[in-house]
Amino acid sequence: MSALNRTPEGIPRHIAIIMDGNGRWAKQRGMPRIAGHRQGYKTVRRIVQQSLDLGVEALTLYTFSVENWKRPSEETGAIMRLIGMAARRELANLHRNGVRIIISGRLNTLSQEIRRALDQAMTVTRENQRLVLNLAINYGGRAEIVDAARRIAALVREGKLDPQEIDEETFSGYLYTPELPDPDLLIRTSGELRVSNFLLWQIAYTEIWVTPVLWPDFRESHLLEAVEDYARRQRKFGDIPQESKASV
Ligand code: FPP
């Protein structure tokens, strides 16, 4: 995947989105929160299509966090049903468009029905190469790091891995999606200035763009704005610009 490197100049190869504000969108209209999630799903469809059009390689969507289970069971149950329904309903269209679906998160604790729908989506689309759609479901950034540490510790215990060999690259290889490049751009809607336990390892040098727009109101024009802003930034990865080196 990262070897392909075929994203057009200036376009982020990997965009990650914290889709926030569904509840507020619904509340502003006197509707139940799940109406906001349903509207948010419509935004997901638009943004996946636009990512295909732009030539983005990977799109990661924060769909359900490990902390979201604290919400009332009516809401968590409704979100899970929406995810299962979307996975079944969108599969043929995504497959036709060359989208590969992968999931980041602790899937083993989800209901069998959801797991089956997600497993099928991953299996059917596994050879597709146009866009990787990574859905973070029952996902936590710390949980992901803990899960990687457990896998590494088990290999060390079995004598299959030497602790001295573990470096950042080795560690990345045990995260949920070792095949994806780190996100270039992280978008958060609804104005909150937090990363909320999302991709903690992977966003070390990611550019962040926050908009006050609520996720159900997020449109193609907003994504374009984010991408244009990203294209104007100078990414330094801890270095200094080349032209400044003469004046050190
Ligand atoms: C955050 O808004 C949104 C979620 C926790 C759920 C995201 C789910 C979807 C967009 C729908 C399904 C998506 C797919 C991919 C099928 P919030 O509820 O925290 O909003 P608030 O901060 O205004 O309360």
Side-chain angles (χ1 to χ4, degrees), residues 19-25 33 36-42 44 61-65 68 71 75 79 82-84 86-87 133 135 137 188 190 192 214-215:
M19 311 183 286
D20 196 14
N22 293 348
R24 271 164 281 176
W25 183 92
R33 294 177 55 85
H37 298 311
R38 272 194 220 106
Q39 202 64 28
Y41 164 41
K42 291 187 187 169
V44 168
L61 300 178
Y62 205 0
T63 307
F64 193 92
S65 75
N68 285 153
R71 298 183 180 200
E75 181 173 350
I79 297 176
L82 187 58
I83 292 170
L133 175 60
L135 298 176
I137 300 174
R188 180 165 191 150
S190 97
E192 310 294 344
L214 305 178
W215 179 249

